[in-house]
Amino acid sequence: MPRGAAPDFKIDVPAIKAAVHEYKPKILFLTSPNNPDGSVIHPSDIDALLELPVLVVLDEAYIEFCETQQSRMQDVLAHENLIVLRTFSKRAALAGKRVRFRLLSILSKRHQGSALATELCLSGS
């Protein structure tokens, strides 16, 4: 999906909604803050996209460098269709080690509740 004009490069939520309803994708990938321009997706836009019948993967690799937006990591407990990706490589200068983690909500039918799953992935170079 194309983004709006500089300087904010806003996403077109109505166009994304229309595309999801027309093409029926299973996953929607978002980056906020975006690389290389540093633009962020407004929280209300993310909320609107979380209402869609798709898995929303939000890459927050650069969130530690953002002064205008908070992480949506805590929202994985409220939205079973949200996965938040983070990385240590940007913030802690560990790019050569490829250390990253993801946080997602796992709904357990057996326990009728929600659990938080965190996976730490390590790979050496």
Side-chain angles (χ1 to χ4, degrees):
M1 299 300 305
R3 296 179 82 114
D8 62 353
F9 299 102
K10 185 169 174 46
I11 62 171
D12 187 345
V13 174
I16 293 172
K17 286 182 175 183
V20 166
H21 291 298
E22 181 177 350
Y23 298 107
K24 313 257 187 286
K26 296 188 184 316
I27 301 175
L28 176 62
F29 283 91
L30 304 169
T31 58
S32 187
N34 191 33
N35 180 19
D37 60 58
S39 62
V40 296
I41 300 173
H42 193 276
S44 64
D45 290 341
I46 294 173
D47 291 339
L49 296 174
L50 285 169
E51 295 175 7
L52 294 171
V54 295
L55 179 64
V56 176
V57 179
L58 179 61
D59 183 346
E60 293 186 339
Y62 292 93
I63 196 72
E64 286 87 9
F65 304 103
C66 182
E67 297 176 0
T68 61
Q69 182 173 330
Q70 297 292 322
S71 173
R72 298 297 297 249
M73 195 173 294
Q74 72 282 356
D75 293 337
V76 299
L77 291 174
H79 300 280
E80 66 181 67
N81 64 327
L82 175 62
I83 296 176
V84 176
L85 303 176
R86 302 285 298 275
T87 179
F88 293 112
S89 64
K90 309 300 187 273
R91 179 180 60 99
L94 295 173
K97 295 296 179 195
R98 301 289 185 231
V99 178
R100 54 176 68 219
F101 67 96
R102 62 185 172 182
L103 196 62
L104 57 144
S105 176
I106 305 293
L107 294 181
S108 171
K109 292 179 185 175
R110 185 179 309 167
H111 300 292
Q112 299 297 318
S114 167
L116 193 61
T118 304
E119 182 176 310
L120 181 62
C121 303
L122 302 171
S123 64
S125 55

